[in-house]
């Protein structure tokens, strides 16, 4: 039986762009370019490696987002994923992590899965809670923050590196895992892969397809909301210390004044 791997990916604003909030205090995505979250590229890479080491496996990439989110799917498909699922619905605007986990869980169940692979966090929200929420909704084990992962004999195993210890973990499939940016550099799409991605299937779903009511998601259905936001203050000129024999003393006094020392 084929090993069914689903990779959850996110289309995020380019961190190098001029990001700001819209009037409803959601991220304004219209005025900045978007891309596949860098941390999710590691998830795609690990899924592809697992598939390459399996006798028979299929990798599906899944995203929730607006029309432009297909760009994230195309990047993952060009890396080597087999097919994609795109959940798009106007009522999803402003959905928080809890609502997103509901949508992803329903889409994963509809797609069919043995293993769900996520990045450690998104590069825009950086909450890092979605893998745990997703495993809870699916009712399967979670093995998170792995720097090494493999699948064999119906189990997923991996290594989690912490500040004080390294853990070896395993769970029976089906399961949800998340991988860190230490799991291995993501491959670059080849020209052949980019051309092949154009012919790979992309299934589109909306809330009706997933049997989700609009009031469970979106801004009104969110458990968390942004109450207030302000622009980051512009940088001011720094303090220049000219070393004319007293430079070290002036630097020490400055650091002491800032309570750094």
């Amino acid at each position: 039986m084929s090993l069914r791997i689903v990779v959850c990916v996110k289309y995020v604003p380019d961190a190098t762009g001029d990001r700001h909030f819209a009037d409803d205090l959601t991220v304004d995505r219209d005025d900045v370019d978007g891309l596949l979250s860098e941390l999710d590229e590691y998830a795609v890479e690990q899924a592809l490696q697992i598939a390459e080491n399996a006798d028979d496996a299929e990798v599906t990439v899944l995203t929730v987002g607006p029309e432009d989110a297909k760009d994230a799917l195309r990047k993952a498909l060009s890396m080597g994923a087999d097919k994609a699922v795109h959940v798009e619905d106007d009522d999803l605007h402003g959905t928080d992590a809890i609502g997103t986990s509901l949508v992803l869980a329903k889409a994963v169940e509809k797609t069919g899965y043995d293993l769900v692979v996520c990045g450690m966090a998104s590069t825009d929200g950086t909450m890092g809670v979605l893998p745990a929420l997703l495993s809870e909704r699916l009712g399967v084990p979670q093995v998170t923050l792995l720097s090494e992962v493999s699948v064999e004999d119906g189990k997923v195993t991996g290594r989690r590196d912490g500040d004080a210890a390294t853990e070896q973990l395993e769970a029976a499939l089906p399961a949800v895992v998340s991988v860190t940016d230490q799991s291995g550099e993501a491959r670059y799409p080849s020209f052949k892969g980019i051309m092949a991605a154009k012919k790979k299937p992309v299934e589109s779903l909306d809330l009706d397809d997933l049997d989700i009511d609009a009031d469970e998601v979106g801004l009104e259905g969110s458990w968390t909301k942004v109450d207030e936001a302000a622009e980051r203050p512009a940088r001011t000129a720094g303090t220049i210390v000219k070393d004319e024999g007293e430079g070290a003393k002036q630097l020490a006094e400055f650091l002491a004044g800032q309570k750094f020392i």
Side-chain angles (χ1 to χ4, degrees):
M1 183 177 177
S2 176
L3 176 66
R4 300 166 299 173
I5 306 172
V6 178
V7 189
C8 296
V9 301
K10 189 175 183 182
Y11 180 73
V12 299
D14 188 342
T16 63
D18 183 18
R19 297 173 295 174
H20 55 274
F21 288 103
D23 292 339
D24 60 1
L25 295 181
T26 61
V27 177
D28 188 344
R29 300 177 183 274
D30 294 333
D31 294 336
V32 62
D33 292 333
L35 41 75
L36 170 63
S37 176
E38 180 183 358
L39 293 174
D40 290 342
E41 291 188 19
Y42 296 98
V44 175
E45 176 61 34
Q46 292 308 306
L48 293 174
Q49 290 191 26
I50 291 170
E52 289 165 358
N53 291 321
D55 293 333
D56 185 18
E58 182 178 63
V59 177
T60 302
V61 286
L62 164 65
T63 196
V64 177
E67 173 67 23
D68 288 346
K70 282 189 172 68
D71 290 345
L73 295 177
R74 292 189 187 98
K75 173 69 178 292
L77 290 172
S78 66
M79 290 173 67
D82 300 297
K83 60 181 183 177
V85 176
H86 180 203
V87 183
E88 179 186 9
D89 197 298
D90 290 342
D91 288 326
L92 286 168
H93 174 72
T95 302
D96 65 359
I98 295 176
T100 300
S101 72
L102 170 63
V103 178
L104 287 172
K106 292 282 191 178
V108 165
E109 289 175 332
K110 188 177 182 67
T111 301
Y113 72 103
D114 298 298
L115 178 68
V116 180
V117 185
C118 306
M120 61 188 290
S122 63
T123 54
D124 55 352
T126 64
M127 293 183 67
V129 299
L130 196 138
L133 293 171
L134 186 54
S135 70
E136 176 70 17
R137 290 193 183 277
L138 293 172
V140 301
Q142 58 167 312
V143 187
T144 54
L145 300 176
L146 301 180
S147 54
E148 186 177 277
V149 60
S150 61
V151 172
E152 190 175 0
D153 298 330
K155 293 181 180 179
V156 57
T157 61
R159 188 185 80 238
R160 178 190 293 156
D161 296 321
D163 293 333
T166 294
E167 301 171 290
Q168 294 291 336
L169 307 168
E170 73 172 33
L173 299 179
V176 173
V177 303
S178 69
V179 298
T180 72
D181 55 356
Q182 301 302 308
S183 58
E185 197 69 29
R187 67 192 67 186
Y188 288 103
S190 64
F191 177 75
K192 181 179 179 180
I194 294 171
M195 298 305 294
K198 296 179 180 180
K199 298 180 180 179
K200 293 179 179 179
V202 178
E203 181 181 7
S204 295
L205 301 173
D206 59 19
L207 292 180
D208 288 339
D209 294 322
L210 301 177
D211 196 26
I212 298 175
D213 292 333
D215 58 7
E216 296 181 85
V217 295
L219 279 174
E220 294 303 316
S222 292
W223 289 42
T224 58
K225 295 181 180 178
V226 178
D227 290 328
E228 185 179 350
E231 292 282 347
R232 179 186 297 174
R235 284 189 176 186
T236 57
T239 300
I240 299 175
V241 176
K242 293 183 178 180
D243 188 3
E244 297 176 348
E246 295 285 325
K249 179 181 178 182
Q250 293 181 59
L251 179 59
E253 290 175 348
F254 173 79
L255 293 174
Q258 300 297 316
K259 296 184 178 180
F260 290 142
I261 60 173

